[in-house]
């Protein structure tokens, strides 16, 4: 069975702190790993990582994939209260007949307090 | 224009009822999905469907059935609703081939079974 495991499950930090969220996976037919941010509605896309060792950055967020270790990290520097959300890691898998699907981890709930 | 739209957004219904959630995408995508997000925020694939094949997650009870009248629609029909069906149901779509950042989610349908 395909598995995506995130840690920690929840995290409380103060504004200005730097956080690292972890994601590991054991899957078949891996294509890429994605990070999403979910506040009150649907997940919103952050990053897609396909190649190992290449960091993707967007503002204070960055992420990198390690295909040898089957894992990824999401870093957030200088956290703000607006970063409070659930961060979801998902692995894109080939599911046959030209279809792909995302298998999600259980998420890390990040709370940033002023 | 909303890319992936779901209706209803909120639904409260009694145990034993049969209900449907509709999903439409105007992106011309070939593949559509239904995900269930439970109270612990775990997003799990239920179905993926394209022109050729329906792929069912084997853990989904057969009370749940997807119905696709055409390529732009994938409705979710649920028979004999149970309390444990209460969750947020997300529809999503993606184009042929793979590109994880082109999986688009609807805004979710909040189902409460009482």
């Amino acid at each position: 069975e395909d598995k995506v495991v995130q840690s920690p499950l929840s995290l409380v930090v103060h504004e200005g702190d730097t956080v690292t969220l972890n994601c590991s996976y054991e899957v078949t037919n891996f294509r890429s790993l994605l990070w999403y941010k979910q506040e009150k509605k649907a997940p919103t896309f952050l990053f897609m990582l396909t190649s190992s060792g290449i960091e993707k950055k967007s503002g204070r967020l960055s992420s990198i994939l390690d295909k040898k270790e089957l894992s990824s990290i999401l870093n957030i520097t200088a956290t703000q209260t607006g970063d409070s959300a659930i961060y979801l890691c998902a692995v894109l898998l080939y599911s046959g007949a030209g279809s792909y699907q995302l298998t999600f981890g259980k998420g890390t709930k990040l709370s940033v307090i002023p | 224009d909303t890319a992936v739209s779901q209706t209803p957004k909120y639904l409260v219904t009694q145990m034993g009822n049969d209900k449907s959630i509709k999903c439409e995408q105007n992106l011309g995508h070939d593949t559509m999905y239904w995900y269930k997000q439970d109270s612990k925020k775990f997003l799990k694939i239920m179905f993926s469907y394209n022109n050729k094949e329906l792929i069912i997650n084997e853990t989904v009870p057969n009370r749940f059935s997807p119905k696709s009248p055409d390529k732009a629609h994938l409705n979710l029909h649920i028979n004999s609703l149970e309390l444990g069906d209460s969750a947020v149901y997300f529809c999503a779509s993606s184009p042929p081939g793979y590109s994880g950042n082109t999986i688009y989610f609807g805004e979710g349908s909040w189902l409460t079974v009482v």
Side-chain angles (χ1 to χ4, degrees), chain A residues 55-73:
Chain A
E55 186 183 52
K56 296 246 178 139
K57 286 198 77 167
S58 176
R60 295 175 295 102
L61 277 67
S62 64
S63 184
I64 195 161
L65 174 67
D66 185 337
K67 286 168 109 171
K68 191 174 171 189
E69 296 295 324
L70 306 182
S71 66
S72 173
I73 58 170

Side-chain angles (χ1 to χ4, degrees), chain A residues 5-50:
Chain A
V5 178
Q6 292 186 244
S7 64
L9 290 181
S10 67
L11 191 54
V12 181
V13 300
H14 287 95
E15 268 192 313
D17 287 351
T18 293
V19 298
T20 298
L21 310 183
N22 300 288
C23 177
S24 64
Y25 58 92
E26 281 181 44
V27 300
T28 53
N29 296 317
F30 174 90
R31 291 295 184 267
S32 54
L33 185 143
L34 293 92
W35 285 96
Y36 287 84
K37 179 181 181 182
Q38 186 176 25
E39 295 171 272
K40 293 187 178 174
K41 293 189 177 177
T44 53
F45 171 80
L46 293 175
F47 297 111
M48 182 173 77
L49 305 159
T50 306

Side-chain angles (χ1 to χ4, degrees), chain A residues 98-99, chain B residues 25 27-32 49-52 71 93-97:
Chain A
S99 289
Chain B
Q25 53 94 4
L27 299 164
H29 287 170
D30 283 341
T31 306
M32 296 183 73
Y49 183 81
N50 62 19
N51 291 337
K52 303 162 194 167
K71 199 170 109 167
S93 71
S94 68

Side-chain angles (χ1 to χ4, degrees), chain A residues 31-32 34 36 38 40-43 45 48 50 86 88 92 95-102 104-106, chain B residues 9 31 33 35 37 40-43 45 48 50 52-53 55 90 97-101 103 105-107 110:
Chain A
R31 291 295 184 267
S32 54
L34 293 92
Y36 287 84
Q38 186 176 25
K40 293 187 178 174
K41 293 189 177 177
F45 171 80
M48 182 173 77
T50 306
I86 295 173
L88 296 166
L92 187 71
S95 54
S99 289
Y100 296 82
Q101 69 177 51
L102 289 172
F104 284 86
K106 293 191 176 183
Chain B
K9 196 167 182 177
T31 306
Y33 311 83
Y35 284 84
Q37 188 170 42
K40 295 183 180 176
K41 302 296 184 186
F42 186 30
L43 256 171
I45 183 84
S48 67
N50 62 19
K52 303 162 194 167
E53 192 167 338
I55 299 169
F90 287 99
Y98 84 92
S99 182
N101 60 348
I103 290 182
F105 285 89
E107 296 209 323
W110 269 251

